[in-house]
Amino acid sequence: MSELSSEGEAEESEPEETETESESEGTEDSEAEEAEADLGEYDGERNSAGERHGRGKAQLPNGDTYDGEYEHSLRNGQGTYRFKNGARYIGQYLQNKKHGHGVFFYPDGSKYEGSWVNDQKHGYGEYTYANGDTYAGEWFNNYRHGQGTYVYKDTGSKYVGGWVNGNQEGEAELIHLNHRYRGKFLNGNPVGQGKYVFDIGCEQQGEYIQSAEDKGEEEEEEEEPSLPAALKWKATEITKLTLWTPSVKKTPPSEASPAAAEAAAAAGEAVEETGGAVEGEETMPANAVTDETADGRDDEPAHEVSSEVFSSEKHAEEEDEGSRGEEENKEAQEEQGTANLEDKEDESQEAE
């Protein structure tokens, strides 16, 4: 987490566009020559007044060419203008000026594609620079102005935020490979409070301030104008590392099979019958060995016997004896009834 590396990357600036803009100004001047003097060779449609009107091609005295639409001798509509220095414009015109959507190819290999108003880059447009950097965003009178994104090809870093008259200014975010800076910018440099956010999960908050030495030098050299001193990054707080823990989703329990459900029901019924059978029975103490017997027999471990076992067995034996007694009584009654019936039959026979 080096402050120097963070500071150096935050102050990364985009290449100047002065050479490209001067070249475009030269090409625009060459376009204006045709408007000042209607000279050169022309092959195309004309109106009844003899003006260039409709589709046509023009070869200008300075070596430039135009192939496109005319209206009353002015470039109007869709057309292609080629400059002798290798630049060219393909897009819309309005009264001899680039107006609407168009693409401008510059001699150094850079390119602008977007909106034009009155010969100026104005509105939304995308500019690809000769070194491979790109800008996509808002323009105002040929300057980057508003919200836009500048991408540095060599480092992969990108600036996302505000622009004022071609300079990075306002709230923005400078994004690098493994961290980013969020804060305010002024004239292409970070100023005031901001923070560095690192991909490992921590943040470093602070502010860019002017050092005391730089302030003293400025006070001594007030008479001579100088460039603003570079600001220093001062960290005020570092947040702790936030560890990431995976979240495990709980799977819902699977439905029991019919066989398992029947088995569970049968087990429940058996438990209910056993519970009903032992209801009302007196339970025995938890220890089968009484305290008196346990005294003096420390060499033998005490065994705990469940009272439910004895009560269950006792109850089962009583049920068996009761059922056998009922059967014997029933058999005896049947034998007695049979004997009584035989005695009555004998008596009736004797009477006859």
Side-chain angles (χ1 to χ4, degrees):
M1 192 184 302
S2 172
E3 293 181 13
L4 294 177
S5 63
S6 300
E7 179 182 348
E9 292 181 8
E11 295 175 354
E12 186 175 1
S13 60
E14 77 281 357
E16 296 293 333
E17 198 180 343
T18 54
E19 294 182 3
T20 304
E21 289 179 350
S22 63
E23 291 174 355
S24 66
E25 289 175 359
T27 56
E28 289 165 4
D29 291 340
S30 66
E31 283 190 78
E33 291 179 4
E34 185 186 7
E36 293 175 358
D38 189 10
L39 301 175
E41 300 178 0
Y42 174 76
D43 180 15
E45 300 175 347
R46 296 179 182 270
N47 58 13
S48 58
E51 299 174 325
R52 300 178 182 180
H53 195 87
R55 186 78 183 182
K57 297 179 181 180
Q59 181 74 38
L60 307 181
N62 64 356
D64 296 348
T65 62
Y66 174 76
D67 183 0
E69 298 175 345
Y70 280 91
E71 186 173 336
H72 299 292
S73 293
L74 299 177
R75 296 184 296 276
N76 203 86
Q78 187 71 21
T80 300
Y81 195 105
R82 298 179 183 274
F83 301 86
K84 61 181 179 181
N85 62 2
R88 71 181 186 276
Y89 171 79
I90 304 173
Q92 296 174 327
Y93 279 92
L94 180 63
Q95 296 181 354
N96 260 12
K97 295 182 178 180
K98 296 182 287 295
H99 193 93
H101 184 81
V103 183
F104 202 108
F105 298 89
Y106 295 90
D108 63 354
S110 57
K111 180 186 75 171
Y112 171 81
E113 180 177 2
S115 177
W116 297 81
V117 175
N118 197 26
D119 249 2
Q120 305 287 313
K121 294 185 283 289
H122 193 96
Y124 180 84
E126 298 180 1
Y127 200 111
T128 303
Y129 296 86
N131 65 352
D133 293 355
T134 61
Y135 171 80
E138 298 175 324
W139 295 76
F140 183 82
N141 290 338
N142 260 0
Y143 290 101
R144 299 180 295 265
H145 190 91
Q147 293 294 313
T149 300
Y150 193 101
V151 180
Y152 303 88
K153 180 185 177 183
D154 292 340
T155 62
S157 302
K158 61 181 177 180
Y159 172 92
V160 182
W163 296 79
V164 176
N165 295 328
N167 295 319
Q168 299 171 349
E169 186 169 325
E171 294 287 343
E173 186 174 25
L174 188 58
I175 304 172
H176 302 290
L177 181 62
N178 57 2
H179 71 283
R180 61 188 65 200
Y181 174 78
R182 296 174 183 171
K184 291 184 179 180
F185 286 75
L186 180 64
N187 294 325
N189 297 315
V191 294
Q193 295 182 348
K195 66 178 179 179
Y196 285 92
V197 182
F198 296 86
D199 292 349
I200 59 175
C202 63
E203 297 180 358
Q204 185 186 75
Q205 299 183 3
E207 60 179 335
Y208 277 96
I209 59 176
Q210 190 173 358
S211 64
E213 296 179 358
D214 295 335
K215 288 182 179 179
E217 292 177 359
E218 284 186 0
E219 292 176 357
E220 293 176 358
E221 302 176 358
E222 286 183 356
E223 297 181 358
E224 299 181 3
S226 60
L227 296 174
L231 300 178
K232 306 285 185 180
W233 171 252
K234 180 181 179 181
T236 58
E237 182 182 356
I238 299 177
T239 60
K240 296 181 179 179
L241 182 66
T242 304
L243 297 178
W244 177 82
T245 55
S247 58
V248 180
K249 295 182 179 180
K250 295 183 178 180
T251 56
S254 58
E255 296 182 358
S257 60
E262 292 178 1
E269 293 177 359
V271 171
E272 290 179 359
E273 292 178 358
T274 305
V278 298
E279 275 187 4
E281 294 290 339
E282 295 182 0
T283 59
M284 295 180 65
N287 292 331
V289 182
T290 61
D291 295 340
E292 296 177 358
T293 309
D295 292 342
R297 299 191 61 183
D298 296 336
D299 56 327
E300 295 183 6
H303 296 278
E304 295 184 0
V305 183
S306 174
S307 59
E308 294 181 359
V309 175
F310 287 101
S311 58
S312 299
E313 293 178 353
K314 181 179 180 181
H315 187 75
E317 292 176 357
E318 290 178 354
E319 284 185 350
D320 292 340
E321 292 177 357
S323 59
R324 285 197 296 270
E326 290 178 359
E327 291 179 358
E328 292 176 356
N329 292 335
K330 187 176 180 180
E331 291 177 356
Q333 291 176 1
E334 289 179 357
E335 290 177 357
Q336 184 65 31
T338 304
N340 293 336
L341 182 59
E342 291 177 353
D343 292 339
K344 290 180 179 181
E345 289 179 355
D346 294 336
E347 290 176 358
S348 60
Q349 290 178 358
E350 290 176 358
E352 290 177 357

